[in-house]
Amino acid sequence: MAGKFLHNLNVRGQRGNIVQNFPSVEYDFIPDQLTAKKGDLIHVQWAGYNTNPANRAGEGTDATDRNNFVQMAGDLDTSYPDRIEKSSFWQNVESLTAPDATPKDIAVAMASSGYYCGYEPHSTCPAELSLTGNTREGLQGQLNNANASYRGHVLQV
């Protein structure tokens, strides 16, 4: 990593809507727009919690806070995730923290908030925790059974 520019991409805000979270904000990434050059590093991570004040969890389990990271399709007004296979971002990254993880492994780990450590097993992802070899209950739609915090990956773009 020596001689590389490292961007730190974090999440701010809380689960729930703007009224529930006042004076905090709804989820947003910090920085909210990140421009990286080829060869730059990006550390994507977040810290959530299981002690969110009552009645502030939106559609999630009360007292929880969850995040994930996906590429969005379309322009800034579009609000649905892009398919991993069509993603321009995931096809151009590699993980320095899990060098043998494929772009699909990294995308699945970040989309699931680390619930799955990758699409398929690799050196930092045991088979039973990968999407294809998972032996636990499936990932809940609002990420309620995912970890609150995620140490993420250091990605090279």
Side-chain angles (χ1 to χ4, degrees):
M1 288 193 245
K4 301 282 186 176
F5 189 86
L6 177 65
H7 303 270
N8 193 9
L9 183 61
N10 285 286
V11 175
R12 72 172 173 179
Q14 296 179 7
R15 183 182 246 183
N17 66 44
I18 195 80
V19 174
Q20 292 172 324
N21 288 324
F22 183 82
S24 185
V25 297
E26 296 175 271
Y27 291 132
D28 194 9
F29 286 99
I30 295 295
D32 59 1
Q33 291 188 26
L34 175 65
T35 303
K37 298 177 185 163
K38 186 163 180 64
D40 281 358
L41 306 177
I42 303 172
H43 187 198
V44 184
Q45 61 182 327
W46 52 81
Y49 46 89
N50 291 319
T51 55
N52 199 10
N55 303 313
R56 291 188 181 183
E59 296 178 14
T61 299
D62 203 29
T64 64
D65 187 48
R66 299 292 185 272
N67 302 283
N68 68 343
F69 184 84
V70 297
Q71 180 173 344
M72 303 303 285
D75 57 34
L76 291 177
D77 294 327
T78 304
S79 186
Y80 62 92
D82 204 357
R83 295 177 53 92
I84 294 170
E85 296 81 15
K86 294 185 176 193
S87 165
S88 59
F89 180 79
W90 295 118
Q91 300 315 314
N92 295 305
V93 299
E94 59 185 84
S95 173
L96 298 184
T97 48
D100 61 336
T102 66
K104 192 171 190 175
D105 291 325
I106 301 164
V108 165
M110 292 207 176
S112 69
S113 192
Y115 187 77
Y116 303 115
C117 53
Y119 181 73
E120 293 183 335
H122 52 82
S123 64
T124 62
C125 180
E128 66 275 8
L129 300 180
S130 70
L131 179 62
T132 58
N134 181 48
T135 57
R136 303 166 292 167
E137 67 177 304
L139 179 63
Q140 195 274 333
Q142 283 79 29
L143 306 174
N144 290 320
N145 59 345
N147 291 329
S149 298
Y150 183 59
R151 64 184 175 96
H153 285 269
V154 176
L155 304 176
Q156 182 167 320
V157 295

